[in-house]
Amino acid sequence: MCVTAPGRVLAVWGDEATVECRGVPLRVSIRMVPDLVAGEHVLIGFGAVIGRLGPEEAEAMAADLERVAWRRPAAWKEAVDGVPGTGHGGSRASGPGHAV
């Protein structure tokens, strides 16, 4: 299962960033959107930032996800289990300076 969700960029280093998604920091690739800066709202999926979002668009998307997906904790856990950088079984380190 692939989950795409809005997030906010917390930090950028090289071709990776830490993006907060519903309070969970995720380590993601920014190769598709390389000129990101901290504070921007983005769409994440497939372990990468796949696009920019405006603040209103990110808020609306988060509200939709709250209504539909987040109320099903088992589905969310299944979606992120094993996803690198989530702290839910992934094997990638979650900060700068770690070999990938």
Side-chain angles (χ1 to χ4, degrees):
M1 173 193 286
C2 178
V3 175
T4 56
R8 188 175 55 84
V9 178
L10 300 176
V12 176
W13 66 95
D15 61 356
E16 295 187 340
T18 300
V19 175
E20 178 185 21
C21 179
R22 199 170 185 259
V24 177
L26 304 171
R27 182 177 177 185
V28 297
S29 169
I30 61 169
R31 289 181 181 166
M32 290 189 275
V33 188
D35 55 343
L36 290 174
V37 296
E40 285 191 87
H41 295 274
V42 295
L43 181 63
I44 56 173
F46 310 103
V49 171
I50 58 176
R52 283 188 168 82
L53 298 172
E56 297 83 16
E57 188 177 19
E59 186 176 317
M61 186 178 286
D64 288 343
L65 285 172
E66 180 68 33
R67 243 185 6 264
V68 176
W70 303 134
R71 293 194 179 176
R72 298 180 55 214
W76 174 247
K77 182 181 181 325
E78 178 183 319
V80 299
D81 272 349
V83 174
T86 63
H88 295 276
S91 59
R92 280 174 70 185
S94 59
H98 294 277
V100 176

